[in-house]
Amino acid sequence: MRGPKMTTLRLEGIAKDFSDGAQMRRVLFPVTTEFEPGELTVLAGPSGSGKTTLLSIIGLVLRPSEGRMFFGDKEITSLSENEAARMRLQRYGFVFQQPMLIEGLSVLENTLLAFAVQGRRPPKGARQKAVKILNRLGLGESLHMQPRLLSGGMKQRASIARALIKDPAILLCDEPTSALDAESGQTVMRLLKRIAIEEGRVVVVVSHDARVFPYADRLVKIENGQIVSDTREQTQTEEVSQS
C-alpha cells in the first residue's frame, strides 16, 4: 500500500478557550510542536486533560482560539468551513471510540463507504485493497458479515480499515484499542506502527490504555490543558547534554 507524500503537521502556539456562559475558560494552553510523518505519537492523560481537544484541533474539527497550524507549508487554521471539510475528507483518516458502522452493509461495504462520503465511486482496485487491509486486521473471514454479527472488537477493527482505505496523510485515533482484547489491540497497534513507519504518515493516538504506550515513537502526556512531558523533548535534551 503506497502512502502519500510525507508531510509534517506543525502547531505554533495553539490554544483553546471555551465559554461556560458566564466566563471563558482555557482548556488547552499554548502548544508549539510538530507531528512528524513516519512517527506514531500517543497523547495520554486523564479525562478532561485537554488531549481530545488537541486531537480535535489537529483534525480540523475545532478551531483554536489562538495560534496557527501548518500542513507542510500550507497554513490550515485559516481554512473556511468548506475547505476544512474537504481537507478532512481528502487528507485525514479518523478512528473514533465508537465504530459507527452502517447496519445493512457488510464489513467490506462499510470499508468502501469512505469513498461514498466523498461523493465518488471507489477507485479501481479499491475492493482488492480493502480486502487486503481487512485481512491484515484479522477480518478476512468476516468480509460479508453484517455489523450486528460482529463483536465489539471486530467492529472497531472494521472502522480502522475504513479510515485506512483512503491512504490518509494524517491518521487520528481516539481510543482505538478500548474495545479490543489484548491480542486484537496488539494487532491494531502493530498495524498503526507499520503504517506510520513504512508509509510515512502522521499517526496520532489518544489513549488511556497503557498497553499502547510501548508502541509509541513519542509519548506526550497532558494534564490540565498543558503538556507535562514529551519523550521527544527528553531525548533531544539528553542528546544535547551528551554532546
Side-chain angles (χ1 to χ4, degrees), residues 176-190:
T177 63
S178 62
L180 305 181
D181 58 34
E183 183 177 355
S184 297
Q186 290 171 3
T187 298
V188 167
M189 291 309 300
R190 282 195 296 265

